[in-house]
Amino acid sequence: MKRERDLIKQIRQEIADFYTKRIPITVVPEEQGRREFTYEFSQRENVALIDLYYNSQFRSGKYDSEGRQKIFLNEGKFRTDVAEMQIDIDIANFLFLPSTSDLWSPWLMSRDFQQYVQDNDYGQVINSWGADLPRYGTCVGKRVGDEIMRVPIGRLINTQNAESLKKAAMSGGYAIEALQMTPQEMEAYPDWNLSGLEESDLQGAVYERYGLITPAHVKLANDETPEDGDWDEWRLGISVVNTDIHKKEKNGALVFAEFIDEDDFPYEEAHWQRQDGRWQGVGEMENQFQNQLARNVSTHLRQKSMYWAAKRMFTSTDDAVANNLAKEVADGAVIKVGPGGQITPVNTQTQHLGDFNAWDQTIENNADKTSFTYEAATGESPKAGTPFSLQVQLDRTLQKHYGKKRENFGLFLKRAFFNQQVEIFKKKTRKEHSLTFAYTDEDAELLREAFIYTQVNDRKAQNVFAGKVVSKAEIEAELREELARSPYLVVDIPDRFYDQVKYHTKLIITGEQENVGADMQTLVTFWQALQQAGDPRSEKVLEQIMALSGKNLRMIAGMKPQQQPALPQQAPARPVPTSSPVTPSIDVAA
């Protein structure tokens, strides 16, 4: 596109092109009398049709040509919701793993981060991305300061054939976000130049554009006069224009413009399935367009067939018979028919019910194949007679299909959310604060034992310096009694504690829990064999089984009591104190 010195004019033209033009995806050349065919695509029309179909609305309206309301049997919404469920990634899937022997600091950081995300409702943002990806084929995130938000795809105006929004903005294209803002909301941005503008001037929508601009545009936005050389250098930047695109005459104002670094580009994106030649991905709703069209045709024909089947019509050779038996003949009346005359009902029942059923089943089968919504994906029981080996194969196929989609979504979350949020989280939790754990929380039992182990040593040293002789067993009993009086365990986090933590992050995405059921069954069989043999290693196997099911044996059953060692017969008869359980040490102040 030609680069305009008048940035308002250029943005208005870019918006008009997006709304009115289609881009060619592929061209089928003319051959043997067949005319050339070009497959074209409009992102705006595609998003609008997805919204209509997802909400069970017809593009042509609710009523047919005869004034009857049409029935929409949705083929895509259910399959889109199944895909959303299959790629769900929870905050708990993001882990902080220790890079040193300090095990507890990353664990505390992970717990604190999960609470921070929940307190800021970021789980809802992640779920919204998970809904957008299979529905529209694309989900978009944006960072604004310390906030990370979802960008509705219907709000984006971009180069339709771009590989990514970032490449579009950096290569002469555009990535524009339409924002509906009142004049009062615009005044909340101190960097925007609204001087000399009346409320009547601030009309239409606000368009935030990322693309190439010049130093002249930056100066114009600040009411400065550019020099001739200011128009020569084009760099990546942000510009904000307020204009009403529905008015033909030029209107609006350039209220902000500045250059940005490539690393500060605010958008991140993920795509369900890519198609060369277009930016928007292909989602499950779009995959079902043809199936939905076939279903609409079938349903409409069935509706008309049922409408006619509900009618009662008759033929007669006698002119004296009433024209409308339902209205002109009373209940119980005797109908007089002339010599040779007769009244015969007209058969209005459909003769193609089997064809309708077969056609509908064909649509359902094709929809299931294109979206991988077999019984294993939807939670339904397999059809009677399905061989076990076939069901296993289907399960593996589903795991591979949705595993790739989930991995793609997980990588997007790492880029757009987790990697950025960790630094924001560390900044916002830099001051001293406390974490509170209930004893029913996961791993709280281990944390309590670590706390006891640390405090036993500390109090033992304090007693030595004070000249007191108190055994470790007595100190441990005293600590357990103190902890038993409170249902919570409070851990104080010092200032800048997380800045010193050595960790690496991991997002559990796919492939790590595929064979949990089979592994658990194998371990259960092994555990039963060890139990019957009295092998002490059975407890380790039981811990692994509980871990696979997401539970913690020590949290449920508590720590295993320590047995006192048997005294040799020649040893003097004096009590032997019970040693404290060996648990990881914790020192959050380290």
Side-chain angles (χ1 to χ4, degrees), residues 388-408:
F388 176 75
S389 57
L390 176 60
Q391 187 62 34
V392 171
Q393 185 62 39
L394 283 175
D395 290 345
R396 291 177 179 175
T397 302
L398 287 171
Q399 289 169 3
K400 289 180 181 180
H401 172 75
Y402 287 115
K404 290 177 63 177
K405 304 296 186 184
R406 195 166 188 256
E407 181 178 14
N408 180 41

mmCIF file of all heavy atoms in Angstrom, residues 388-408:
data_model
loop_
_atom_site.group_PDB
_atom_site.id
_atom_site.type_symbol
_atom_site.label_atom_id
_atom_site.label_comp_id
_atom_site.label_asym_id
_atom_site.label_seq_id
_atom_site.Cartn_x
_atom_site.Cartn_y
_atom_site.Cartn_z
ATOM 1 N N PHE A 388 -12.591 -53.493 20.922
ATOM 2 C CA PHE A 388 -11.745 -52.811 21.902
ATOM 3 C C PHE A 388 -10.500 -52.217 21.240
ATOM 4 O O PHE A 388 -10.088 -51.098 21.538
ATOM 5 C CB PHE A 388 -11.341 -53.788 23.002
ATOM 6 C CG PHE A 388 -10.392 -53.191 24.008
ATOM 7 C CD1 PHE A 388 -10.854 -52.294 24.970
ATOM 8 C CD2 PHE A 388 -9.038 -53.504 23.986
ATOM 9 C CE1 PHE A 388 -9.981 -51.737 25.893
ATOM 10 C CE2 PHE A 388 -8.165 -52.946 24.896
ATOM 11 C CZ PHE A 388 -8.634 -52.062 25.866
ATOM 12 N N SER A 389 -9.900 -52.980 20.323
ATOM 13 C CA SER A 389 -8.688 -52.499 19.659
ATOM 14 C C SER A 389 -8.965 -51.237 18.846
ATOM 15 O O SER A 389 -8.135 -50.320 18.792
ATOM 16 C CB SER A 389 -8.120 -53.585 18.745
ATOM 17 O OG SER A 389 -9.085 -53.986 17.790
ATOM 18 N N LEU A 390 -10.153 -51.165 18.223
ATOM 19 C CA LEU A 390 -10.508 -49.971 17.464
ATOM 20 C C LEU A 390 -10.701 -48.780 18.389
ATOM 21 O O LEU A 390 -10.289 -47.656 18.066
ATOM 22 C CB LEU A 390 -11.791 -50.229 16.664
ATOM 23 C CG LEU A 390 -12.350 -49.037 15.881
ATOM 24 C CD1 LEU A 390 -11.328 -48.533 14.861
ATOM 25 C CD2 LEU A 390 -13.663 -49.414 15.190
ATOM 26 N N GLN A 391 -11.317 -49.008 19.550
ATOM 27 C CA GLN A 391 -11.522 -47.932 20.498
ATOM 28 C C GLN A 391 -10.192 -47.400 21.020
ATOM 29 O O GLN A 391 -10.013 -46.178 21.177
ATOM 30 C CB GLN A 391 -12.389 -48.404 21.664
ATOM 31 C CG GLN A 391 -12.814 -47.316 22.633
ATOM 32 C CD GLN A 391 -13.665 -46.257 21.957
ATOM 33 O OE1 GLN A 391 -14.435 -46.557 21.054
ATOM 34 N NE2 GLN A 391 -13.516 -45.017 22.394
ATOM 35 N N VAL A 392 -9.234 -48.288 21.277
ATOM 36 C CA VAL A 392 -7.904 -47.866 21.722
ATOM 37 C C VAL A 392 -7.227 -47.021 20.646
ATOM 38 O O VAL A 392 -6.596 -45.998 20.930
ATOM 39 C CB VAL A 392 -7.047 -49.097 22.080
ATOM 40 C CG1 VAL A 392 -5.596 -48.683 22.324
ATOM 41 C CG2 VAL A 392 -7.609 -49.794 23.310
ATOM 42 N N GLN A 393 -7.363 -47.444 19.396
ATOM 43 C CA GLN A 393 -6.765 -46.702 18.303
ATOM 44 C C GLN A 393 -7.384 -45.313 18.170
ATOM 45 O O GLN A 393 -6.675 -44.316 17.931
ATOM 46 C CB GLN A 393 -6.934 -47.479 16.986
ATOM 47 C CG GLN A 393 -6.238 -46.840 15.788
ATOM 48 C CD GLN A 393 -4.730 -46.765 15.982
ATOM 49 O OE1 GLN A 393 -4.110 -47.681 16.524
ATOM 50 N NE2 GLN A 393 -4.139 -45.662 15.558
ATOM 51 N N LEU A 394 -8.710 -45.226 18.338
ATOM 52 C CA LEU A 394 -9.377 -43.924 18.295
ATOM 53 C C LEU A 394 -8.900 -43.019 19.427
ATOM 54 O O LEU A 394 -8.687 -41.819 19.226
ATOM 55 C CB LEU A 394 -10.892 -44.113 18.374
ATOM 56 C CG LEU A 394 -11.606 -44.580 17.108
ATOM 57 C CD1 LEU A 394 -13.086 -44.836 17.387
ATOM 58 C CD2 LEU A 394 -11.462 -43.555 15.990
ATOM 59 N N ASP A 395 -8.738 -43.608 20.610
ATOM 60 C CA ASP A 395 -8.244 -42.819 21.746
ATOM 61 C C ASP A 395 -6.868 -42.238 21.450
ATOM 62 O O ASP A 395 -6.600 -41.064 21.731
ATOM 63 C CB ASP A 395 -8.185 -43.686 23.005
ATOM 64 C CG ASP A 395 -9.570 -44.042 23.522
ATOM 65 O OD1 ASP A 395 -10.536 -43.402 23.083
ATOM 66 O OD2 ASP A 395 -9.683 -44.968 24.356
ATOM 67 N N ARG A 396 -6.003 -43.042 20.886
ATOM 68 C CA ARG A 396 -4.648 -42.563 20.574
ATOM 69 C C ARG A 396 -4.680 -41.482 19.504
ATOM 70 O O ARG A 396 -3.933 -40.493 19.581
ATOM 71 C CB ARG A 396 -3.786 -43.739 20.117
ATOM 72 C CG ARG A 396 -3.462 -44.734 21.231
ATOM 73 C CD ARG A 396 -2.672 -45.913 20.696
ATOM 74 N NE ARG A 396 -2.336 -46.847 21.764
ATOM 75 C CZ ARG A 396 -1.741 -48.013 21.559
ATOM 76 N NH1 ARG A 396 -1.433 -48.398 20.321
ATOM 77 N NH2 ARG A 396 -1.468 -48.806 22.593
ATOM 78 N N THR A 397 -5.551 -41.666 18.514
ATOM 79 C CA THR A 397 -5.665 -40.661 17.460
ATOM 80 C C THR A 397 -6.155 -39.334 18.033
ATOM 81 O O THR A 397 -5.638 -38.260 17.688
ATOM 82 C CB THR A 397 -6.632 -41.138 16.365
ATOM 83 O OG1 THR A 397 -6.168 -42.392 15.832
ATOM 84 C CG2 THR A 397 -6.734 -40.121 15.238
ATOM 85 N N LEU A 398 -7.144 -39.391 18.915
ATOM 86 C CA LEU A 398 -7.658 -38.178 19.549
ATOM 87 C C LEU A 398 -6.586 -37.501 20.392
ATOM 88 O O LEU A 398 -6.455 -36.274 20.384
ATOM 89 C CB LEU A 398 -8.870 -38.520 20.413
ATOM 90 C CG LEU A 398 -10.166 -38.851 19.674
ATOM 91 C CD1 LEU A 398 -11.205 -39.371 20.652
ATOM 92 C CD2 LEU A 398 -10.698 -37.634 18.951
ATOM 93 N N GLN A 399 -5.821 -38.302 21.123
ATOM 94 C CA GLN A 399 -4.759 -37.741 21.956
ATOM 95 C C GLN A 399 -3.721 -37.026 21.110
ATOM 96 O O GLN A 399 -3.231 -35.954 21.481
ATOM 97 C CB GLN A 399 -4.122 -38.844 22.788
ATOM 98 C CG GLN A 399 -5.017 -39.383 23.899
ATOM 99 C CD GLN A 399 -4.464 -40.642 24.531
ATOM 100 O OE1 GLN A 399 -3.375 -41.103 24.179
ATOM 101 N NE2 GLN A 399 -5.199 -41.226 25.460
ATOM 102 N N LYS A 400 -3.386 -37.592 19.969
ATOM 103 C CA LYS A 400 -2.402 -36.957 19.093
ATOM 104 C C LYS A 400 -2.975 -35.678 18.488
ATOM 105 O O LYS A 400 -2.289 -34.653 18.417
ATOM 106 C CB LYS A 400 -1.984 -37.928 17.990
ATOM 107 C CG LYS A 400 -1.133 -39.090 18.479
ATOM 108 C CD LYS A 400 -0.747 -40.015 17.333
ATOM 109 C CE LYS A 400 0.094 -41.183 17.836
ATOM 110 N NZ LYS A 400 0.470 -42.103 16.720
ATOM 111 N N HIS A 401 -4.232 -35.743 18.036
ATOM 112 C CA HIS A 401 -4.839 -34.569 17.404
ATOM 113 C C HIS A 401 -4.960 -33.413 18.386
ATOM 114 O O HIS A 401 -4.446 -32.313 18.135
ATOM 115 C CB HIS A 401 -6.224 -34.951 16.862
ATOM 116 C CG HIS A 401 -7.010 -33.781 16.358
ATOM 117 N ND1 HIS A 401 -6.731 -33.156 15.165
ATOM 118 C CD2 HIS A 401 -8.074 -33.112 16.902
ATOM 119 C CE1 HIS A 401 -7.576 -32.154 14.983
ATOM 120 N NE2 HIS A 401 -8.407 -32.112 16.019
ATOM 121 N N TYR A 402 -5.635 -33.662 19.501
ATOM 122 C CA TYR A 402 -5.823 -32.588 20.471
ATOM 123 C C TYR A 402 -4.537 -32.280 21.227
ATOM 124 O O TYR A 402 -4.374 -31.165 21.750
ATOM 125 C CB TYR A 402 -6.951 -32.940 21.441
ATOM 126 C CG TYR A 402 -8.319 -32.851 20.820
ATOM 127 C CD1 TYR A 402 -9.115 -33.987 20.655
ATOM 128 C CD2 TYR A 402 -8.835 -31.632 20.390
ATOM 129 C CE1 TYR A 402 -10.372 -33.902 20.079
ATOM 130 C CE2 TYR A 402 -10.088 -31.541 19.810
ATOM 131 C CZ TYR A 402 -10.853 -32.681 19.666
ATOM 132 O OH TYR A 402 -12.093 -32.590 19.091
ATOM 133 N N GLY A 403 -3.629 -33.248 21.297
ATOM 134 C CA GLY A 403 -2.336 -32.976 21.927
ATOM 135 C C GLY A 403 -1.566 -31.902 21.183
ATOM 136 O O GLY A 403 -0.964 -31.014 21.786
ATOM 137 N N LYS A 404 -1.583 -31.952 19.847
ATOM 138 C CA LYS A 404 -0.901 -30.929 19.053
ATOM 139 C C LYS A 404 -1.576 -29.569 19.236
ATOM 140 O O LYS A 404 -0.890 -28.540 19.352
ATOM 141 C CB LYS A 404 -0.912 -31.330 17.580
ATOM 142 C CG LYS A 404 -0.030 -32.520 17.246
ATOM 143 C CD LYS A 404 -0.152 -32.910 15.790
ATOM 144 C CE LYS A 404 0.321 -31.793 14.885
ATOM 145 N NZ LYS A 404 0.283 -32.196 13.460
ATOM 146 N N LYS A 405 -2.899 -29.561 19.274
ATOM 147 C CA LYS A 405 -3.606 -28.299 19.460
ATOM 148 C C LYS A 405 -3.314 -27.725 20.845
ATOM 149 O O LYS A 405 -3.107 -26.513 21.004
ATOM 150 C CB LYS A 405 -5.116 -28.507 19.313
ATOM 151 C CG LYS A 405 -5.545 -29.140 17.998
ATOM 152 C CD LYS A 405 -5.221 -28.264 16.807
ATOM 153 C CE LYS A 405 -5.794 -28.858 15.532
ATOM 154 N NZ LYS A 405 -5.409 -28.082 14.331
ATOM 155 N N ARG A 406 -3.295 -28.601 21.837
ATOM 156 C CA ARG A 406 -3.046 -28.154 23.213
ATOM 157 C C ARG A 406 -1.608 -27.653 23.372
ATOM 158 O O ARG A 406 -1.352 -26.683 24.092
ATOM 159 C CB ARG A 406 -3.321 -29.309 24.173
ATOM 160 C CG ARG A 406 -3.458 -28.908 25.630
ATOM 161 C CD ARG A 406 -4.063 -30.045 26.434
ATOM 162 N NE ARG A 406 -4.375 -29.637 27.795
ATOM 163 C CZ ARG A 406 -3.640 -29.984 28.848
ATOM 164 N NH1 ARG A 406 -2.576 -30.744 28.683
ATOM 165 N NH2 ARG A 406 -3.987 -29.588 30.065
ATOM 166 N N GLU A 407 -0.692 -28.304 22.711
ATOM 167 C CA GLU A 407 0.700 -27.859 22.757
ATOM 168 C C GLU A 407 0.837 -26.476 22.128
ATOM 169 O O GLU A 407 1.530 -25.599 22.651
ATOM 170 C CB GLU A 407 1.593 -28.859 22.041
ATOM 171 C CG GLU A 407 3.058 -28.487 22.060
ATOM 172 C CD GLU A 407 3.924 -29.527 21.390
ATOM 173 O OE1 GLU A 407 3.380 -30.402 20.686
ATOM 174 O OE2 GLU A 407 5.152 -29.475 21.556
ATOM 175 N N ASN A 408 0.184 -26.276 20.997
ATOM 176 C CA ASN A 408 0.215 -24.975 20.328
ATOM 177 C C ASN A 408 -0.373 -23.892 21.229
ATOM 178 O O ASN A 408 0.183 -22.789 21.352
ATOM 179 C CB ASN A 408 -0.574 -25.073 19.014
ATOM 180 C CG ASN A 408 -0.594 -23.765 18.256
ATOM 181 O OD1 ASN A 408 0.404 -23.060 18.163
ATOM 182 N ND2 ASN A 408 -1.741 -23.419 17.718
#
